[in-house]
Amino acid sequence: MKRYELVIFDWDGTLMDSVSKIVACMQQTAIELSMMVPSESSIRDIIGLSMDEALNVLHPSACQQTRKAMIDVYRKQYLQLNQTPSPVFEGAEQLLVTLKASGHQLAVATGKARAGLDRVLNETGFVEHFMASRCADEAKSKPHPQMLHELLELVGVAPEKAVMIGDSVHDLNMANNAGIDGIGVSYGAHSAQKLSEANPVAIAARPLELLPLITGQA
C-alpha cells in the first residue's frame, strides 16, 4: 500500500452527514415553486456537482429566472428553514486530527460554494485542519479536474502522491480525470456498488477505515 502526502476530501456525504438535508431542501424547493419534485435517488446523483450543473440535471427545462428563484429558495431552506440534522460523521474529526498529526497535508474539493464551505468549516471547527480548498464557484464543476489540478499546484505535490476521498462517482471521476487515486466512502450519496463503477483504489464503510488506506499501514 502507498502512503499519500496530500489527502483531498469532498465535504457533503464524506465529512458531513448532510445528504438527507440536501434531499429534503431540494424537494421542498420544488414544492414551493410548484415544480416537479425530484426523487431522492435523482438528488443523490447530483450531490457533489455545482448548483448550476445540479439544476441542469434535475430541471433541464427551467429558465434562468426560475433557476435563480430555485437557488434563492434552496438557500433559505438550507440555512434557515429546514431542521434536518447534518452532523459531522462519527470518526471524521479523529481521522483528520490523526492524519494531520502524522504529517499529511489536507485539503477540500467540494461542490459547495465558497461562502457555504467557509460557514461549515467555521461551525464545525474543522477550518484548522485544512491548508487549502477549492469550491464549485471557483472552478469548473466535478468531474472536471480543475479543482484538483489547482490544489496539487498550490500544495506542490505530485499526482501520484495525492488521493481524493469522496462519496460520489463525481468525486472519483474527478480523481480519474486528474490522474490521482480515488477512494470511495459508501456511507454518503452513493452505494459501494455505484462507487465501484468509477474504479476507486478502495472503498471505506466508515471514516476511520480510511486511515490505513491513506497512511499505507494496513
Side-chain angles (χ1 to χ4, degrees), residues 26 42 45-60 67 71 111 136 139-144 170:
M26 278 288 188
S42 65
D45 282 345
I46 57 83
I47 292 175
L49 300 177
S50 68
M51 180 61 80
D52 283 343
E53 289 299 317
L55 293 181
N56 283 341
V57 174
L58 295 177
H59 301 281
R67 285 167 176 262
I71 292 171
K140 293 182 179 179
S141 176
K142 301 173 184 180
H144 192 281
H170 307 305

Side-chain angles (χ1 to χ4, degrees), residues 13 96 124 157 189:
L96 298 177
T124 59
V157 171

Side-chain angles (χ1 to χ4, degrees), residues 47-103:
I47 292 175
L49 300 177
S50 68
M51 180 61 80
D52 283 343
E53 289 299 317
L55 293 181
N56 283 341
V57 174
L58 295 177
H59 301 281
S61 61
C63 66
Q64 283 301 115
Q65 183 177 358
T66 300
R67 285 167 176 262
K68 184 180 183 305
M70 291 195 75
I71 292 171
D72 290 344
V73 171
Y74 176 83
R75 285 177 177 162
K76 187 173 183 179
Q77 282 289 329
Y78 197 92
L79 295 175
Q80 301 175 28
L81 301 179
N82 189 277
Q83 299 302 309
T84 305
S86 54
V88 297
F89 285 106
E90 182 179 358
E93 184 168 18
Q94 183 181 345
L95 171 67
L96 298 177
V97 170
T98 303
L99 288 173
K100 190 173 181 182
S102 60

Side-chain angles (χ1 to χ4, degrees), residues 28 43-44 47 60 63 98-99 116 120 123 131-132 137-138 150 152 155 157 161 166 174 177 182 194 200 218:
Q28 187 59 40
I43 296 171
R44 282 175 171 266
I47 292 175
C63 66
T98 303
L99 288 173
V120 292
E123 287 177 354
M131 64 176 305
D137 57 346
E138 299 170 334
E150 291 185 358
L152 290 171
V155 180
V157 171
K161 293 291 187 180
M174 178 173 64
N177 292 337
K194 178 85 170 176

Side-chain angles (χ1 to χ4, degrees), residues 184-205:
V185 296
S186 60
Y187 50 80
H190 284 154
S191 66
Q193 181 179 1
K194 178 85 170 176
L195 293 170
S196 66
E197 297 173 6
N199 299 312
V201 297
I203 297 175

